[in-house]
Amino acid sequence: MLQLCKVTESLFISNARSACTDELLQKEAVSLCINVSKQQPCPSARVSTLRVPAYDDPNEDLRAHFDRCADAILSEAARGGRTVVYCKNGRSRSATICIAYLMKHQRLSLTEAYELVKSARSVVEPNPGFWAQLERYEQDLRSTGSARSSLNVSPS
């Protein structure tokens, strides 16, 4: 089934086949496609594209792309645009990028971000290497004050 799964108002996750379907991109008013693969095609529709050349391999350094992708999604949303993040099957690489965005710019914990993406697309499952990179990213964001920590207490 062809579909773009809505994570937030401005963020979708999908597989390559759906993300390259011009009618779906137009229907959801997608203006940026982030292709997290080395081999999957980019859509032919007139949308901006960002390719993150990565395989679904636990040893792949996807962490090196977290900030650039998260910032691109935020920037697109600030302009009133919408982003779809995709990889071949829309399970591991694309989910990892969406989770990193939610952690950085929505200030969600890793668990909260994962649950939000999983509720949008039930098949998501970052591979163990990507999950470990997300855990390190969460620690980095906490140490810089960019992510909410479950230990933080709100001032009254």
Side-chain angles (χ1 to χ4, degrees), residues 93-131:
R93 290 168 284 184
S94 57
T96 300
I97 293 297
C98 289
I99 291 166
Y101 161 77
L102 292 168
M103 290 165 56
K104 181 173 184 180
H105 292 300
Q106 303 288 321
R107 301 177 66 94
L108 298 182
S109 69
L110 172 53
T111 302
E112 291 167 333
Y114 170 74
E115 288 173 358
L116 182 58
V117 176
K118 184 90 170 166
S119 70
R121 185 168 173 80
S122 62
V123 298
V124 303
E125 190 175 329
N127 74 42
F130 295 164
W131 188 262

Side-chain angles (χ1 to χ4, degrees), residues 8-92:
T8 69
E9 273 306 309
S10 59
L11 178 63
F12 295 84
I13 183 172
S14 181
N15 61 22
R17 189 159 168 243
S18 295
C20 291
T21 302
D22 293 348
E23 296 79 27
L24 282 178
L25 297 177
Q26 291 167 358
K27 177 183 169 209
E28 298 295 352
V30 169
S31 49
L32 172 63
C33 291
I34 299 179
N35 179 348
V36 192
S37 76
K38 290 188 177 186
Q39 299 170 313
Q40 297 306 309
C42 287
S44 60
R46 289 192 175 151
V47 295
S48 299
T49 57
L50 172 60
R51 183 182 289 272
V52 176
Y55 290 113
D56 186 16
D57 178 332
N59 295 313
E60 186 81 55
D61 182 13
L62 203 51
R63 165 78 172 83
H65 304 279
F66 288 176
D67 285 327
R68 181 171 58 113
C69 290
D71 294 348
I73 294 165
L74 180 69
S75 177
E76 198 65 26
R79 286 195 295 271
R82 298 171 117 186
T83 300
V84 63
V85 181
Y86 70 97
C87 55
K88 182 178 181 184
N89 295 312
R91 292 184 53 164
S92 183

